[in-house]
Amino acid sequence: MDKNLLENENRNINFFILNSMDDWVRIIDERGEVAFINDALKDALKKSPKLKVYLDENIDLIISNSNSIATDTTMIEEKLIDGKYYSIKSSPIYLGDTFTGTIEVYRDITSESILKIDLYNANKAMLDDIRFVRRIQSSILPKNGTYGKINLSGIYNPADDVSGDIYDLIRIDENRTAFYIADVMGHGVKASIMTMFLKVTMSAIFDKHPDFTPSQVFLNLRKKFTRLHIDSSQYFTAWLGIFDFRDNSLAFSNAGHNCPPLIFSKEKNEAEYLLVTGRMISNIIEPDEYIEKKLNLHPGDKILFYTDGAIEAKNEEGNEFGLERLKDTFSESCNLAYVHEKVTSYNWQAMDDDLTLALIEYEKKEENEA
């Protein structure tokens, strides 16, 4: 077969392929003149005068880049043309080592782009909602300060934008104040909403039953929780103590909280765990009772409350900070900022769990006191 005839036949086959494409295709030679446009683009030009204006402007851009990287590299960009979004792929054409022009392919990506925009707007709205929830959640925590004989300070660091951790002080009457710390299973909005349920419900229980013991409070809390009829996998742990200023005592119970508070006694000059057993609060675990313990407090006693983010912080080798290391740290210094710094510096990557610390000093002594 004649060589020229073979080349013409191959060229016709190539043009047939380009004309069968739904994408717009055009070829611009090295002088910036249009050498070919496929049928899809011809039809579009008939319907949209604005399209021709854009295409002419794009030729000027190609000519201006004819001596640049554009002659060596395939360029991809996205543009809005006559109300639709297009992905434009421009590739140089070479015969041997000679640059002979550029082929452009215009693909309609309007649906994909609108989907991206919708997803972006939806994500933005969701993030705005989450930030709003976080502001609300932070605002329901008690402020650092003195409440009767209790001086409270806290540090609250969610692993995500919102947290499943909560702690609170509830004034029962002029002689008694309750304190609890809780850790809801999971993270995110679902867990944070559960903390708000805890906040409201605990306050309501003490308001209606001011003489309840910690054990009675937990049993009543579980009853109200099961009435929600939520997913059976949802649960939370909590520790609750009631301070009685009349005899300087602390009565407490534990609902599955595997982070026993640490008390540093000035008399003993060491930290000890406030240990008491009890089951978590869930829909599927029925507790028979919550054990209660009671101890006497002295001026200057300090109690550290925390969630499992403190003890599950991991170093580079994957070793957890752990209960004993936390106890040793608290024994070294009962300063909350010191404990927080030790935990966060031990952790070598982003925290996997919410980290909440709270410190109560009973009948805080002034610095100039003995």
Side-chain angles (χ1 to χ4, degrees), residues 113-141:
S113 297
I114 291 175
L115 180 60
K116 288 179 183 178
I117 293 170
D118 289 344
L119 285 174
Y120 170 81
N121 290 334
N123 285 335
K124 183 178 182 302
M126 182 177 66
L127 287 173
D128 289 342
D129 289 345
I130 289 174
R131 293 188 183 104
F132 175 76
V133 171
R134 176 169 183 167
R135 288 196 297 271
I136 296 298
Q137 191 176 32
S138 298
S139 70
I140 68 175
L141 296 175

mmCIF file of all heavy atoms in Angstrom, residues 113-141:
data_model
loop_
_atom_site.group_PDB
_atom_site.id
_atom_site.type_symbol
_atom_site.label_atom_id
_atom_site.label_comp_id
_atom_site.label_asym_id
_atom_site.label_seq_id
_atom_site.Cartn_x
_atom_site.Cartn_y
_atom_site.Cartn_z
ATOM 1 N N SER A 113 -18.489 18.232 39.964
ATOM 2 C CA SER A 113 -18.130 19.482 40.646
ATOM 3 C C SER A 113 -19.229 19.936 41.590
ATOM 4 O O SER A 113 -18.963 20.384 42.710
ATOM 5 C CB SER A 113 -17.836 20.575 39.619
ATOM 6 O OG SER A 113 -16.728 20.239 38.829
ATOM 7 N N ILE A 114 -20.482 19.810 41.130
ATOM 8 C CA ILE A 114 -21.597 20.189 42.001
ATOM 9 C C ILE A 114 -21.635 19.277 43.228
ATOM 10 O O ILE A 114 -21.890 19.735 44.351
ATOM 11 C CB ILE A 114 -22.926 20.120 41.217
ATOM 12 C CG1 ILE A 114 -22.967 21.242 40.170
ATOM 13 C CG2 ILE A 114 -24.118 20.237 42.160
ATOM 14 C CD1 ILE A 114 -24.171 21.187 39.260
ATOM 15 N N LEU A 115 -21.343 17.985 43.020
ATOM 16 C CA LEU A 115 -21.304 17.061 44.143
ATOM 17 C C LEU A 115 -20.210 17.454 45.132
ATOM 18 O O LEU A 115 -20.417 17.432 46.358
ATOM 19 C CB LEU A 115 -21.067 15.635 43.643
ATOM 20 C CG LEU A 115 -20.990 14.540 44.710
ATOM 21 C CD1 LEU A 115 -22.279 14.470 45.506
ATOM 22 C CD2 LEU A 115 -20.683 13.196 44.070
ATOM 23 N N LYS A 116 -19.030 17.833 44.596
ATOM 24 C CA LYS A 116 -17.940 18.282 45.468
ATOM 25 C C LYS A 116 -18.345 19.514 46.266
ATOM 26 O O LYS A 116 -18.059 19.625 47.461
ATOM 27 C CB LYS A 116 -16.701 18.593 44.639
ATOM 28 C CG LYS A 116 -15.981 17.380 44.078
ATOM 29 C CD LYS A 116 -14.778 17.805 43.253
ATOM 30 C CE LYS A 116 -14.080 16.616 42.616
ATOM 31 N NZ LYS A 116 -12.932 17.044 41.765
ATOM 32 N N ILE A 117 -18.996 20.457 45.577
ATOM 33 C CA ILE A 117 -19.431 21.690 46.252
ATOM 34 C C ILE A 117 -20.456 21.373 47.330
ATOM 35 O O ILE A 117 -20.392 21.897 48.452
ATOM 36 C CB ILE A 117 -20.010 22.685 45.222
ATOM 37 C CG1 ILE A 117 -18.901 23.183 44.290
ATOM 38 C CG2 ILE A 117 -20.672 23.864 45.923
ATOM 39 C CD1 ILE A 117 -19.406 23.969 43.101
ATOM 40 N N ASP A 118 -21.402 20.477 46.990
ATOM 41 C CA ASP A 118 -22.416 20.093 47.977
ATOM 42 C C ASP A 118 -21.785 19.409 49.181
ATOM 43 O O ASP A 118 -22.170 19.664 50.331
ATOM 44 C CB ASP A 118 -23.455 19.165 47.335
ATOM 45 C CG ASP A 118 -24.360 19.899 46.343
ATOM 46 O OD1 ASP A 118 -24.378 21.142 46.385
ATOM 47 O OD2 ASP A 118 -25.016 19.223 45.526
ATOM 48 N N LEU A 119 -20.809 18.526 48.898
ATOM 49 C CA LEU A 119 -20.127 17.842 49.998
ATOM 50 C C LEU A 119 -19.347 18.824 50.857
ATOM 51 O O LEU A 119 -19.329 18.720 52.092
ATOM 52 C CB LEU A 119 -19.183 16.767 49.442
ATOM 53 C CG LEU A 119 -19.845 15.493 48.923
ATOM 54 C CD1 LEU A 119 -18.808 14.594 48.261
ATOM 55 C CD2 LEU A 119 -20.536 14.737 50.058
ATOM 56 N N TYR A 120 -18.700 19.783 50.181
ATOM 57 C CA TYR A 120 -17.938 20.795 50.928
ATOM 58 C C TYR A 120 -18.871 21.599 51.829
ATOM 59 O O TYR A 120 -18.583 21.824 53.014
ATOM 60 C CB TYR A 120 -17.213 21.718 49.957
ATOM 61 C CG TYR A 120 -16.588 22.928 50.629
ATOM 62 C CD1 TYR A 120 -15.361 22.839 51.272
ATOM 63 C CD2 TYR A 120 -17.249 24.159 50.643
ATOM 64 C CE1 TYR A 120 -14.799 23.931 51.908
ATOM 65 C CE2 TYR A 120 -16.698 25.259 51.271
ATOM 66 C CZ TYR A 120 -15.474 25.140 51.897
ATOM 67 O OH TYR A 120 -14.932 26.235 52.533
ATOM 68 N N ASN A 121 -20.000 22.026 51.267
ATOM 69 C CA ASN A 121 -20.942 22.830 52.051
ATOM 70 C C ASN A 121 -21.526 22.017 53.202
ATOM 71 O O ASN A 121 -21.711 22.536 54.310
ATOM 72 C CB ASN A 121 -22.058 23.353 51.152
ATOM 73 C CG ASN A 121 -21.576 24.421 50.187
ATOM 74 O OD1 ASN A 121 -20.595 25.124 50.464
ATOM 75 N ND2 ASN A 121 -22.236 24.568 49.056
ATOM 76 N N ALA A 122 -21.799 20.711 52.908
ATOM 77 C CA ALA A 122 -22.338 19.859 53.967
ATOM 78 C C ALA A 122 -21.311 19.653 55.073
ATOM 79 O O ALA A 122 -21.646 19.702 56.268
ATOM 80 C CB ALA A 122 -22.767 18.515 53.380
ATOM 81 N N ASN A 123 -20.053 19.423 54.694
ATOM 82 C CA ASN A 123 -18.989 19.239 55.688
ATOM 83 C C ASN A 123 -18.767 20.508 56.491
ATOM 84 O O ASN A 123 -18.543 20.461 57.704
ATOM 85 C CB ASN A 123 -17.690 18.822 55.005
ATOM 86 C CG ASN A 123 -17.708 17.376 54.567
ATOM 87 O OD1 ASN A 123 -18.429 16.565 55.135
ATOM 88 N ND2 ASN A 123 -16.935 17.044 53.547
ATOM 89 N N LYS A 124 -18.828 21.649 55.802
ATOM 90 C CA LYS A 124 -18.643 22.924 56.497
ATOM 91 C C LYS A 124 -19.757 23.142 57.512
ATOM 92 O O LYS A 124 -19.507 23.569 58.651
ATOM 93 C CB LYS A 124 -18.612 24.078 55.498
ATOM 94 C CG LYS A 124 -18.338 25.446 56.129
ATOM 95 C CD LYS A 124 -18.271 26.528 55.084
ATOM 96 C CE LYS A 124 -17.948 27.878 55.733
ATOM 97 N NZ LYS A 124 -18.939 28.279 56.757
ATOM 98 N N ALA A 125 -20.992 22.840 57.087
ATOM 99 C CA ALA A 125 -22.116 22.986 58.010
ATOM 100 C C ALA A 125 -21.970 22.051 59.201
ATOM 101 O O ALA A 125 -22.248 22.423 60.345
ATOM 102 C CB ALA A 125 -23.429 22.715 57.277
ATOM 103 N N MET A 126 -21.516 20.810 58.932
ATOM 104 C CA MET A 126 -21.326 19.837 60.006
ATOM 105 C C MET A 126 -20.228 20.296 60.968
ATOM 106 O O MET A 126 -20.373 20.201 62.188
ATOM 107 C CB MET A 126 -20.980 18.476 59.428
ATOM 108 C CG MET A 126 -20.819 17.379 60.476
ATOM 109 S SD MET A 126 -20.505 15.761 59.739
ATOM 110 C CE MET A 126 -18.883 16.053 59.009
ATOM 111 N N LEU A 127 -19.119 20.823 60.400
ATOM 112 C CA LEU A 127 -18.038 21.309 61.256
ATOM 113 C C LEU A 127 -18.482 22.500 62.083
ATOM 114 O O LEU A 127 -18.106 22.631 63.254
ATOM 115 C CB LEU A 127 -16.824 21.685 60.397
ATOM 116 C CG LEU A 127 -16.041 20.510 59.804
ATOM 117 C CD1 LEU A 127 -14.974 21.014 58.837
ATOM 118 C CD2 LEU A 127 -15.398 19.674 60.897
ATOM 119 N N ASP A 128 -19.295 23.373 61.481
ATOM 120 C CA ASP A 128 -19.833 24.509 62.233
ATOM 121 C C ASP A 128 -20.690 24.010 63.391
ATOM 122 O O ASP A 128 -20.623 24.551 64.503
ATOM 123 C CB ASP A 128 -20.661 25.412 61.313
ATOM 124 C CG ASP A 128 -19.793 26.190 60.332
ATOM 125 O OD1 ASP A 128 -18.572 26.293 60.575
ATOM 126 O OD2 ASP A 128 -20.337 26.686 59.328
ATOM 127 N N ASP A 129 -21.494 22.966 63.121
ATOM 128 C CA ASP A 129 -22.333 22.403 64.184
ATOM 129 C C ASP A 129 -21.481 21.785 65.281
ATOM 130 O O ASP A 129 -21.775 21.934 66.472
ATOM 131 C CB ASP A 129 -23.275 21.344 63.603
ATOM 132 C CG ASP A 129 -24.379 21.947 62.737
ATOM 133 O OD1 ASP A 129 -24.581 23.169 62.807
ATOM 134 O OD2 ASP A 129 -25.011 21.188 61.970
ATOM 135 N N ILE A 130 -20.419 21.074 64.880
ATOM 136 C CA ILE A 130 -19.544 20.430 65.864
ATOM 137 C C ILE A 130 -18.854 21.476 66.730
ATOM 138 O O ILE A 130 -18.743 21.321 67.953
ATOM 139 C CB ILE A 130 -18.513 19.534 65.151
ATOM 140 C CG1 ILE A 130 -19.209 18.293 64.582
ATOM 141 C CG2 ILE A 130 -17.402 19.107 66.108
ATOM 142 C CD1 ILE A 130 -18.313 17.416 63.743
ATOM 143 N N ARG A 131 -18.389 22.543 66.094
ATOM 144 C CA ARG A 131 -17.739 23.615 66.875
ATOM 145 C C ARG A 131 -18.730 24.255 67.837
ATOM 146 O O ARG A 131 -18.372 24.635 68.956
ATOM 147 C CB ARG A 131 -17.139 24.643 65.929
ATOM 148 C CG ARG A 131 -15.968 24.100 65.112
ATOM 149 C CD ARG A 131 -15.285 25.193 64.323
ATOM 150 N NE ARG A 131 -14.211 24.655 63.504
ATOM 151 C CZ ARG A 131 -14.286 24.475 62.194
ATOM 152 N NH1 ARG A 131 -15.401 24.797 61.546
ATOM 153 N NH2 ARG A 131 -13.277 23.969 61.516
ATOM 154 N N PHE A 132 -19.972 24.386 67.399
ATOM 155 C CA PHE A 132 -21.010 24.931 68.280
ATOM 156 C C PHE A 132 -21.225 24.005 69.467
ATOM 157 O O PHE A 132 -21.309 24.451 70.614
ATOM 158 C CB PHE A 132 -22.312 25.103 67.493
ATOM 159 C CG PHE A 132 -23.479 25.535 68.333
ATOM 160 C CD1 PHE A 132 -23.590 26.843 68.766
ATOM 161 C CD2 PHE A 132 -24.456 24.625 68.706
ATOM 162 C CE1 PHE A 132 -24.665 27.246 69.551
ATOM 163 C CE2 PHE A 132 -25.522 25.012 69.493
ATOM 164 C CZ PHE A 132 -25.639 26.330 69.913
ATOM 165 N N VAL A 133 -21.301 22.682 69.180
ATOM 166 C CA VAL A 133 -21.472 21.700 70.266
ATOM 167 C C VAL A 133 -20.297 21.777 71.229
ATOM 168 O O VAL A 133 -20.470 21.697 72.449
ATOM 169 C CB VAL A 133 -21.616 20.276 69.686
ATOM 170 C CG1 VAL A 133 -21.582 19.237 70.799
ATOM 171 C CG2 VAL A 133 -22.909 20.145 68.896
ATOM 172 N N ARG A 134 -19.087 21.947 70.692
ATOM 173 C CA ARG A 134 -17.914 22.021 71.562
ATOM 174 C C ARG A 134 -17.998 23.240 72.476
ATOM 175 O O ARG A 134 -17.671 23.154 73.661
ATOM 176 C CB ARG A 134 -16.635 22.070 70.731
ATOM 177 C CG ARG A 134 -15.404 22.246 71.623
ATOM 178 C CD ARG A 134 -14.115 22.037 70.894
ATOM 179 N NE ARG A 134 -12.985 22.159 71.807
ATOM 180 C CZ ARG A 134 -11.756 21.794 71.529
ATOM 181 N NH1 ARG A 134 -11.476 21.261 70.358
ATOM 182 N NH2 ARG A 134 -10.784 21.928 72.404
ATOM 183 N N ARG A 135 -18.428 24.376 71.920
ATOM 184 C CA ARG A 135 -18.545 25.572 72.775
ATOM 185 C C ARG A 135 -19.560 25.334 73.887
ATOM 186 O O ARG A 135 -19.341 25.725 75.039
ATOM 187 C CB ARG A 135 -18.945 26.777 71.922
ATOM 188 C CG ARG A 135 -17.835 27.300 71.021
ATOM 189 C CD ARG A 135 -18.152 28.685 70.503
ATOM 190 N NE ARG A 135 -19.344 28.697 69.661
ATOM 191 C CZ ARG A 135 -19.335 28.499 68.347
ATOM 192 N NH1 ARG A 135 -18.202 28.238 67.727
ATOM 193 N NH2 ARG A 135 -20.459 28.548 67.654
ATOM 194 N N ILE A 136 -20.676 24.694 73.525
ATOM 195 C CA ILE A 136 -21.691 24.395 74.534
ATOM 196 C C ILE A 136 -21.142 23.425 75.565
ATOM 197 O O ILE A 136 -21.305 23.603 76.779
ATOM 198 C CB ILE A 136 -22.959 23.811 73.873
ATOM 199 C CG1 ILE A 136 -23.611 24.841 72.940
ATOM 200 C CG2 ILE A 136 -23.939 23.340 74.935
ATOM 201 C CD1 ILE A 136 -24.092 26.094 73.627
ATOM 202 N N GLN A 137 -20.467 22.387 75.071
ATOM 203 C CA GLN A 137 -19.931 21.367 75.974
ATOM 204 C C GLN A 137 -18.905 21.964 76.935
ATOM 205 O O GLN A 137 -18.899 21.647 78.127
ATOM 206 C CB GLN A 137 -19.310 20.231 75.158
ATOM 207 C CG GLN A 137 -18.967 19.011 75.990
ATOM 208 C CD GLN A 137 -18.456 17.873 75.128
ATOM 209 O OE1 GLN A 137 -17.818 18.110 74.102
ATOM 210 N NE2 GLN A 137 -18.718 16.652 75.522
ATOM 211 N N SER A 138 -18.038 22.811 76.424
ATOM 212 C CA SER A 138 -17.033 23.444 77.293
ATOM 213 C C SER A 138 -17.693 24.341 78.329
ATOM 214 O O SER A 138 -17.219 24.446 79.462
ATOM 215 C CB SER A 138 -16.046 24.250 76.447
ATOM 216 O OG SER A 138 -15.342 23.417 75.559
ATOM 217 N N SER A 139 -18.790 24.982 77.930
ATOM 218 C CA SER A 139 -19.441 25.936 78.834
ATOM 219 C C SER A 139 -20.160 25.254 79.990
ATOM 220 O O SER A 139 -20.439 25.891 81.008
ATOM 221 C CB SER A 139 -20.437 26.806 78.054
ATOM 222 O OG SER A 139 -21.567 26.050 77.647
ATOM 223 N N ILE A 140 -20.488 23.949 79.840
ATOM 224 C CA ILE A 140 -21.216 23.285 80.927
ATOM 225 C C ILE A 140 -20.280 22.731 81.999
ATOM 226 O O ILE A 140 -20.737 22.274 83.043
ATOM 227 C CB ILE A 140 -22.121 22.152 80.391
ATOM 228 C CG1 ILE A 140 -21.296 20.996 79.837
ATOM 229 C CG2 ILE A 140 -23.098 22.686 79.361
ATOM 230 C CD1 ILE A 140 -22.131 19.801 79.407
ATOM 231 N N LEU A 141 -18.973 22.757 81.740
ATOM 232 C CA LEU A 141 -18.033 22.319 82.770
ATOM 233 C C LEU A 141 -17.929 23.399 83.847
ATOM 234 O O LEU A 141 -18.007 24.595 83.561
ATOM 235 C CB LEU A 141 -16.654 22.067 82.156
ATOM 236 C CG LEU A 141 -16.554 20.941 81.129
ATOM 237 C CD1 LEU A 141 -15.149 20.900 80.536
ATOM 238 C CD2 LEU A 141 -16.908 19.599 81.745
#
